[in-house]
Amino acid sequence: MLTKAALGLSLIVVGLAVVAADGLSKRDVFRLPDPFAVITVDGEQTNTTSVIKKTLNPYWNESFDM
């Protein structure tokens, strides 16, 4: 299998930081949500953050290299 380097193509790595969300909607009357973020590149799910329990204002501060 030929890699991008073998074909003379350069590989670009992009760093992404998911810091926080603020004021998420409460969708359930009796419970708070357990939010997480999904990172999608070119229509494919590439990464997800951890789940933060019972909050409408999650703070992740997570970094991803893609």
Side-chain angles (χ1 to χ4, degrees):
M1 181 167 109
L2 293 176
T3 64
K4 288 183 180 184
L7 294 173
L9 301 174
S10 61
L11 177 65
I12 298 173
V13 177
V14 175
L16 175 74
V18 180
V19 179
D22 189 32
L24 297 177
S25 299
K26 186 174 180 181
R27 302 184 79 182
D28 192 342
V29 176
F30 301 108
R31 299 181 338 158
L32 287 174
D34 297 333
F36 62 96
V38 176
I39 295 94
T40 304
V41 177
D42 291 333
E44 289 185 34
Q45 180 178 330
T46 58
N47 290 299
T48 59
T49 63
S50 57
V51 174
I52 307 296
K53 300 283 186 178
K54 300 180 183 177
T55 184
L56 296 175
N57 302 300
Y59 181 78
W60 294 284
N61 197 28
E62 295 182 23
S63 298
F64 303 96
D65 289 329
M66 296 182 263

